[in-house]
Amino acid sequence: MRNHTELNEFILLGIPQTEGLETVLFVIFLFIYFFTLLGNLLILTAIVSSSTLHTPMYFFLGLLSIFDMLFPSVTCPKMLFYLSGQSQATSYGGCAAQLFFYHFLGSTEGCLYSVMAYDHFVAICHPLKYMLIMRPGVCVGLVMAAWLVGCLQATILTSFTFQLTYCGPNHVDYFFCDIPAVLPLACADSSLAQKVGSINVGFLALMLWFSVCVSYTRIGIAILRICSAEGRQKAFSICSAHLTAILCAYGPVIIIYLQPTPNSFLGAMVQILNNTVSPTLNSLIYSLRNKEVKRSLKMVFHNVVFTALE
């Protein structure tokens, strides 16, 4: 990619319209990032340490916790670095890598949401065949397919963005390297790359959203047929947590990439919600609304305290 550019680095200008608030933003985002890592690490620890949670549903939830730690780590450390007064420069290769991993992890996590919706569909609509349908080989295959889709999506978007010539200026009016912020700096016509980015991101998001809607439509019909009020409440509790997490993930994508005229401030606010707040909410949603996870976390804390006292 270096053969197509004379630039060696980009300068990240940060969050638009927040000049003079660097110290306050540093403290806020540091707290959110730390809480995100801690919350998802606790969920992952609870799932790994409890044998009762070694089921396909919690296997996918554990993977979601890993993604919710990796996804904000693509943007937050660099953002915290320059909010603390350090250099705002990022290398050309670093900018390309940040864009790649942002879309790779984001697309893969979106696929994982659809896989989890299908898992819930099988658990509620076909409970007697659940372990047969969601056997280990199938679960691993679904996860590998999600990784493949994410890798393919990120490769296409990164290739179309960085095959263009970048000869200056190099100031990215954003807090990380993303397609809408980088493309305006290209010295060549970027309309094709812009269209490919919007179509690819929009198409994948709509397809995944459609698959989730199909699964949950079938789940809703099945829940209405459950005679037991307790059974309906348990099924609804599991599904409502997942649906809330999906809305937090897909909402920002639709606003950012499908808006006709990009707005840098609105895009930044929505991206912050998507990059930092949503992964934190996921840990709260699944830990507070899931009795099995709460029970396992209590056992983990009990064992830690008991070991410390000994």
PDB file of all heavy atoms in Angstrom, residues 1 24 41 54 65 67 81 86 93 103 152 156-158 160 167 172 190 197-198 215 231 243 253:
ATOM      1  N   MET A   1       0.806  -1.209   0.000  1.00  0.00           N
ATOM      2  CA  MET A   1       0.000   0.000   0.000  1.00  0.00           C
ATOM      3  C   MET A   1       0.849   1.273   0.000  1.00  0.00           C
ATOM      4  O   MET A   1       0.403   2.328  -0.427  1.00  0.00           O
ATOM      5  CB  MET A   1      -0.932   0.002   1.213  1.00  0.00           C
ATOM      6  CG  MET A   1      -2.048  -1.037   1.133  1.00  0.00           C
ATOM      7  SD  MET A   1      -3.219  -0.884   2.469  1.00  0.00           S
ATOM      8  CE  MET A   1      -2.188  -1.412   3.845  1.00  0.00           C
ATOM      9  N   VAL A  24     -10.898  15.999  30.933  1.00  0.00           N
ATOM     10  CA  VAL A  24     -12.178  15.433  31.368  1.00  0.00           C
ATOM     11  C   VAL A  24     -12.503  14.178  30.563  1.00  0.00           C
ATOM     12  O   VAL A  24     -12.905  13.147  31.123  1.00  0.00           O
ATOM     13  CB  VAL A  24     -13.305  16.474  31.209  1.00  0.00           C
ATOM     14  CG1 VAL A  24     -14.651  15.849  31.560  1.00  0.00           C
ATOM     15  CG2 VAL A  24     -13.035  17.687  32.083  1.00  0.00           C
ATOM     16  N   LEU A  41     -14.380  -9.427  31.500  1.00  0.00           N
ATOM     17  CA  LEU A  41     -13.465 -10.435  32.036  1.00  0.00           C
ATOM     18  C   LEU A  41     -14.132 -11.245  33.143  1.00  0.00           C
ATOM     19  O   LEU A  41     -13.934 -12.468  33.248  1.00  0.00           O
ATOM     20  CB  LEU A  41     -12.198  -9.743  32.564  1.00  0.00           C
ATOM     21  CG  LEU A  41     -11.093 -10.683  33.094  1.00  0.00           C
ATOM     22  CD1 LEU A  41     -10.607 -11.595  31.973  1.00  0.00           C
ATOM     23  CD2 LEU A  41      -9.944  -9.871  33.659  1.00  0.00           C
ATOM     24  N   HIS A  54     -21.074 -24.645  30.764  1.00  0.00           N
ATOM     25  CA  HIS A  54     -20.365 -25.150  29.586  1.00  0.00           C
ATOM     26  C   HIS A  54     -21.361 -25.699  28.574  1.00  0.00           C
ATOM     27  O   HIS A  54     -21.411 -26.893  28.291  1.00  0.00           O
ATOM     28  CB  HIS A  54     -19.341 -26.207  30.005  1.00  0.00           C
ATOM     29  CG  HIS A  54     -18.223 -25.651  30.821  1.00  0.00           C
ATOM     30  ND1 HIS A  54     -17.245 -26.436  31.409  1.00  0.00           N
ATOM     31  CD2 HIS A  54     -17.917 -24.367  31.174  1.00  0.00           C
ATOM     32  CE1 HIS A  54     -16.401 -25.675  32.070  1.00  0.00           C
ATOM     33  NE2 HIS A  54     -16.793 -24.409  31.946  1.00  0.00           N
ATOM     34  N   SER A  65     -18.003 -11.826  25.057  1.00  0.00           N
ATOM     35  CA  SER A  65     -17.231 -11.076  26.063  1.00  0.00           C
ATOM     36  C   SER A  65     -15.813 -10.802  25.575  1.00  0.00           C
ATOM     37  O   SER A  65     -15.261  -9.721  25.810  1.00  0.00           O
ATOM     38  CB  SER A  65     -17.200 -11.855  27.379  1.00  0.00           C
ATOM     39  OG  SER A  65     -18.485 -11.962  27.946  1.00  0.00           O
ATOM     40  N   PHE A  67     -14.884 -10.497  22.398  1.00  0.00           N
ATOM     41  CA  PHE A  67     -14.991  -9.456  21.375  1.00  0.00           C
ATOM     42  C   PHE A  67     -15.254  -8.093  22.009  1.00  0.00           C
ATOM     43  O   PHE A  67     -14.764  -7.073  21.510  1.00  0.00           O
ATOM     44  CB  PHE A  67     -16.105  -9.799  20.390  1.00  0.00           C
ATOM     45  CG  PHE A  67     -15.675 -10.745  19.313  1.00  0.00           C
ATOM     46  CD1 PHE A  67     -16.061 -12.070  19.343  1.00  0.00           C
ATOM     47  CD2 PHE A  67     -14.873 -10.316  18.266  1.00  0.00           C
ATOM     48  CE1 PHE A  67     -15.668 -12.945  18.349  1.00  0.00           C
ATOM     49  CE2 PHE A  67     -14.473 -11.182  17.270  1.00  0.00           C
ATOM     50  CZ  PHE A  67     -14.873 -12.513  17.309  1.00  0.00           C
ATOM     51  N   PHE A  81      -4.213   7.802  24.691  1.00  0.00           N
ATOM     52  CA  PHE A  81      -2.812   8.230  24.555  1.00  0.00           C
ATOM     53  C   PHE A  81      -2.730   9.699  24.185  1.00  0.00           C
ATOM     54  O   PHE A  81      -2.011  10.485  24.813  1.00  0.00           O
ATOM     55  CB  PHE A  81      -2.117   7.363  23.502  1.00  0.00           C
ATOM     56  CG  PHE A  81      -0.661   7.662  23.336  1.00  0.00           C
ATOM     57  CD1 PHE A  81       0.260   7.259  24.295  1.00  0.00           C
ATOM     58  CD2 PHE A  81      -0.199   8.343  22.211  1.00  0.00           C
ATOM     59  CE1 PHE A  81       1.614   7.520  24.139  1.00  0.00           C
ATOM     60  CE2 PHE A  81       1.141   8.613  22.050  1.00  0.00           C
ATOM     61  CZ  PHE A  81       2.059   8.202  23.011  1.00  0.00           C
ATOM     62  N   GLN A  86      -0.132  13.237  24.662  1.00  0.00           N
ATOM     63  CA  GLN A  86       0.916  12.641  23.852  1.00  0.00           C
ATOM     64  C   GLN A  86       0.641  12.896  22.368  1.00  0.00           C
ATOM     65  O   GLN A  86      -0.345  13.526  21.995  1.00  0.00           O
ATOM     66  CB  GLN A  86       1.014  11.143  24.135  1.00  0.00           C
ATOM     67  CG  GLN A  86       1.217  10.797  25.592  1.00  0.00           C
ATOM     68  CD  GLN A  86       2.473  11.400  26.172  1.00  0.00           C
ATOM     69  OE1 GLN A  86       3.537  11.356  25.561  1.00  0.00           O
ATOM     70  NE2 GLN A  86       2.362  11.993  27.366  1.00  0.00           N
ATOM     71  N   GLY A  93       0.663   2.618   8.116  1.00  0.00           N
ATOM     72  CA  GLY A  93       0.313   1.217   8.342  1.00  0.00           C
ATOM     73  C   GLY A  93      -0.554   1.038   9.574  1.00  0.00           C
ATOM     74  O   GLY A  93      -1.458   0.193   9.599  1.00  0.00           O
ATOM     75  N   HIS A 103     -13.226  -3.043  11.549  1.00  0.00           N
ATOM     76  CA  HIS A 103     -14.298  -3.660  10.758  1.00  0.00           C
ATOM     77  C   HIS A 103     -14.273  -5.180  10.877  1.00  0.00           C
ATOM     78  O   HIS A 103     -15.328  -5.820  10.799  1.00  0.00           O
ATOM     79  CB  HIS A 103     -14.193  -3.225   9.300  1.00  0.00           C
ATOM     80  CG  HIS A 103     -14.632  -1.817   9.075  1.00  0.00           C
ATOM     81  ND1 HIS A 103     -15.963  -1.462   8.967  1.00  0.00           N
ATOM     82  CD2 HIS A 103     -13.919  -0.658   8.984  1.00  0.00           C
ATOM     83  CE1 HIS A 103     -16.055  -0.149   8.791  1.00  0.00           C
ATOM     84  NE2 HIS A 103     -14.833   0.355   8.803  1.00  0.00           N
ATOM     85  N   LEU A 152     -13.238 -11.251   5.533  1.00  0.00           N
ATOM     86  CA  LEU A 152     -13.501 -10.883   4.141  1.00  0.00           C
ATOM     87  C   LEU A 152     -14.005  -9.446   4.040  1.00  0.00           C
ATOM     88  O   LEU A 152     -13.565  -8.667   3.187  1.00  0.00           O
ATOM     89  CB  LEU A 152     -14.519 -11.849   3.540  1.00  0.00           C
ATOM     90  CG  LEU A 152     -14.899 -11.630   2.066  1.00  0.00           C
ATOM     91  CD1 LEU A 152     -13.671 -11.803   1.181  1.00  0.00           C
ATOM     92  CD2 LEU A 152     -15.996 -12.601   1.649  1.00  0.00           C
ATOM     93  N   ILE A 156     -11.907  -6.308   2.178  1.00  0.00           N
ATOM     94  CA  ILE A 156     -12.475  -5.533   1.065  1.00  0.00           C
ATOM     95  C   ILE A 156     -12.476  -4.047   1.386  1.00  0.00           C
ATOM     96  O   ILE A 156     -12.023  -3.208   0.580  1.00  0.00           O
ATOM     97  CB  ILE A 156     -13.908  -6.011   0.750  1.00  0.00           C
ATOM     98  CG1 ILE A 156     -13.887  -7.434   0.184  1.00  0.00           C
ATOM     99  CG2 ILE A 156     -14.590  -5.064  -0.238  1.00  0.00           C
ATOM    100  CD1 ILE A 156     -15.265  -8.046   0.014  1.00  0.00           C
ATOM    101  N   LEU A 157     -12.962  -3.678   2.573  1.00  0.00           N
ATOM    102  CA  LEU A 157     -13.066  -2.259   2.943  1.00  0.00           C
ATOM    103  C   LEU A 157     -11.690  -1.603   3.057  1.00  0.00           C
ATOM    104  O   LEU A 157     -11.486  -0.471   2.590  1.00  0.00           O
ATOM    105  CB  LEU A 157     -13.834  -2.116   4.254  1.00  0.00           C
ATOM    106  CG  LEU A 157     -15.292  -2.581   4.238  1.00  0.00           C
ATOM    107  CD1 LEU A 157     -15.912  -2.436   5.623  1.00  0.00           C
ATOM    108  CD2 LEU A 157     -16.101  -1.788   3.219  1.00  0.00           C
ATOM    109  N   THR A 158     -10.737  -2.308   3.649  1.00  0.00           N
ATOM    110  CA  THR A 158      -9.393  -1.749   3.805  1.00  0.00           C
ATOM    111  C   THR A 158      -8.693  -1.611   2.464  1.00  0.00           C
ATOM    112  O   THR A 158      -8.015  -0.611   2.196  1.00  0.00           O
ATOM    113  CB  THR A 158      -8.550  -2.635   4.741  1.00  0.00           C
ATOM    114  OG1 THR A 158      -9.247  -2.828   5.977  1.00  0.00           O
ATOM    115  CG2 THR A 158      -7.210  -1.988   5.041  1.00  0.00           C
ATOM    116  N   PHE A 160     -10.060  -1.217  -0.594  1.00  0.00           N
ATOM    117  CA  PHE A 160     -10.628  -0.129  -1.392  1.00  0.00           C
ATOM    118  C   PHE A 160     -10.250   1.233  -0.823  1.00  0.00           C
ATOM    119  O   PHE A 160     -10.103   2.201  -1.575  1.00  0.00           O
ATOM    120  CB  PHE A 160     -12.150  -0.265  -1.463  1.00  0.00           C
ATOM    121  CG  PHE A 160     -12.628  -1.097  -2.617  1.00  0.00           C
ATOM    122  CD1 PHE A 160     -12.771  -2.470  -2.478  1.00  0.00           C
ATOM    123  CD2 PHE A 160     -12.924  -0.517  -3.842  1.00  0.00           C
ATOM    124  CE1 PHE A 160     -13.209  -3.248  -3.545  1.00  0.00           C
ATOM    125  CE2 PHE A 160     -13.361  -1.282  -4.907  1.00  0.00           C
ATOM    126  CZ  PHE A 160     -13.503  -2.659  -4.759  1.00  0.00           C
ATOM    127  N   CYS A 167      -1.617  11.954  -0.699  1.00  0.00           N
ATOM    128  CA  CYS A 167      -0.409  12.781  -0.828  1.00  0.00           C
ATOM    129  C   CYS A 167      -0.483  14.045   0.018  1.00  0.00           C
ATOM    130  O   CYS A 167       0.359  14.928  -0.086  1.00  0.00           O
ATOM    131  CB  CYS A 167      -0.182  13.134  -2.295  1.00  0.00           C
ATOM    132  SG  CYS A 167      -1.626  13.850  -3.119  1.00  0.00           S
ATOM    133  N   VAL A 172      -6.657  13.771   9.997  1.00  0.00           N
ATOM    134  CA  VAL A 172      -7.918  13.029  10.062  1.00  0.00           C
ATOM    135  C   VAL A 172      -8.808  13.698  11.104  1.00  0.00           C
ATOM    136  O   VAL A 172      -8.494  13.691  12.295  1.00  0.00           O
ATOM    137  CB  VAL A 172      -7.679  11.548  10.447  1.00  0.00           C
ATOM    138  CG1 VAL A 172      -8.997  10.795  10.525  1.00  0.00           C
ATOM    139  CG2 VAL A 172      -6.745  10.892   9.439  1.00  0.00           C
ATOM    140  N   SER A 190     -12.609   9.243  -4.751  1.00  0.00           N
ATOM    141  CA  SER A 190     -12.903   8.241  -3.727  1.00  0.00           C
ATOM    142  C   SER A 190     -14.355   7.785  -3.757  1.00  0.00           C
ATOM    143  O   SER A 190     -14.806   7.102  -2.826  1.00  0.00           O
ATOM    144  CB  SER A 190     -12.571   8.795  -2.335  1.00  0.00           C
ATOM    145  OG  SER A 190     -13.376   9.932  -2.048  1.00  0.00           O
ATOM    146  N   GLY A 197     -17.933   0.952   0.521  1.00  0.00           N
ATOM    147  CA  GLY A 197     -18.024   0.932   1.974  1.00  0.00           C
ATOM    148  C   GLY A 197     -19.461   0.976   2.453  1.00  0.00           C
ATOM    149  O   GLY A 197     -19.871   0.181   3.303  1.00  0.00           O
ATOM    150  N   SER A 198     -20.251   1.903   1.904  1.00  0.00           N
ATOM    151  CA  SER A 198     -21.655   2.035   2.323  1.00  0.00           C
ATOM    152  C   SER A 198     -22.461   0.787   1.976  1.00  0.00           C
ATOM    153  O   SER A 198     -23.246   0.291   2.788  1.00  0.00           O
ATOM    154  CB  SER A 198     -22.285   3.265   1.663  1.00  0.00           C
ATOM    155  OG  SER A 198     -21.623   4.444   2.059  1.00  0.00           O
ATOM    156  N   SER A 215     -35.308 -15.217  13.317  1.00  0.00           N
ATOM    157  CA  SER A 215     -35.159 -16.075  14.495  1.00  0.00           C
ATOM    158  C   SER A 215     -36.093 -15.643  15.613  1.00  0.00           C
ATOM    159  O   SER A 215     -36.779 -16.465  16.231  1.00  0.00           O
ATOM    160  CB  SER A 215     -33.704 -16.049  14.986  1.00  0.00           C
ATOM    161  OG  SER A 215     -32.834 -16.626  14.040  1.00  0.00           O
ATOM    162  N   GLY A 231     -42.102 -20.364  32.499  1.00  0.00           N
ATOM    163  CA  GLY A 231     -41.352 -20.699  31.297  1.00  0.00           C
ATOM    164  C   GLY A 231     -41.303 -19.532  30.322  1.00  0.00           C
ATOM    165  O   GLY A 231     -40.265 -19.241  29.729  1.00  0.00           O
ATOM    166  N   LEU A 243     -31.620  -9.101  22.625  1.00  0.00           N
ATOM    167  CA  LEU A 243     -32.189  -8.101  21.727  1.00  0.00           C
ATOM    168  C   LEU A 243     -31.709  -6.694  22.078  1.00  0.00           C
ATOM    169  O   LEU A 243     -31.430  -5.878  21.198  1.00  0.00           O
ATOM    170  CB  LEU A 243     -33.714  -8.158  21.783  1.00  0.00           C
ATOM    171  CG  LEU A 243     -34.391  -9.206  20.894  1.00  0.00           C
ATOM    172  CD1 LEU A 243     -35.887  -9.244  21.171  1.00  0.00           C
ATOM    173  CD2 LEU A 243     -34.130  -8.912  19.424  1.00  0.00           C
ATOM    174  N   VAL A 253     -24.341   1.588  13.635  1.00  0.00           N
ATOM    175  CA  VAL A 253     -23.902   1.256  12.280  1.00  0.00           C
ATOM    176  C   VAL A 253     -24.819   1.887  11.248  1.00  0.00           C
ATOM    177  O   VAL A 253     -24.375   2.485  10.250  1.00  0.00           O
ATOM    178  CB  VAL A 253     -23.860  -0.279  12.094  1.00  0.00           C
ATOM    179  CG1 VAL A 253     -23.588  -0.637  10.632  1.00  0.00           C
ATOM    180  CG2 VAL A 253     -22.800  -0.895  12.987  1.00  0.00           C
TER     181      VAL A 253
END
